[in-house]
Amino acid sequence: MAFQQILGPSSGSSSSSGFQYMNSPFGDTTYTKVFVGGLAWETQSETMRRYFEQFGEIVEAVVITDKNTGRSKGYGFVS
């Protein structure tokens, strides 16, 4: 697997502190949105967030609900 060099916010300096090396063929996947299906009807967004925090920082965790009934549709997304 190849390493991809990503210029950071301090890329104008000559030090290496402004560089990040991503071990991914897709580049920086920091804010990737992941589909989560097969959720129990009673699963709430906060419960899903707490579960996925064991894998890293969570920007957003949302369970999709029916706008008329407010009931979960059984899937959601985690970023």
Side-chain angles (χ1 to χ4, degrees):
M1 179 175 289
F3 289 93
Q4 181 179 0
Q5 181 176 334
I6 307 292
L7 298 178
S10 61
S11 61
S13 71
S14 60
S15 71
S16 63
S17 63
F19 296 100
Q20 293 178 337
Y21 293 93
M22 298 294 168
N23 189 11
S24 171
F26 306 108
D28 184 2
T29 58
T30 304
Y31 300 108
T32 300
K33 185 178 282 191
V34 178
F35 172 83
V36 181
L39 295 175
W41 298 113
E42 64 273 3
T43 303
Q44 298 176 354
S45 295
E46 187 56 34
T47 305
M48 193 165 65
R49 172 185 290 277
R50 282 195 307 266
Y51 176 79
F52 279 96
E53 283 178 341
Q54 68 181 313
F55 303 108
E57 182 182 347
I58 303 301
V59 175
E60 178 184 39
V62 61
V63 174
I64 304 302
T65 57
D66 182 278
K67 64 181 175 181
N68 294 326
T69 65
R71 184 175 172 186
S72 168
K73 289 188 173 186
Y75 68 94
F77 296 95
V78 176
S79 298

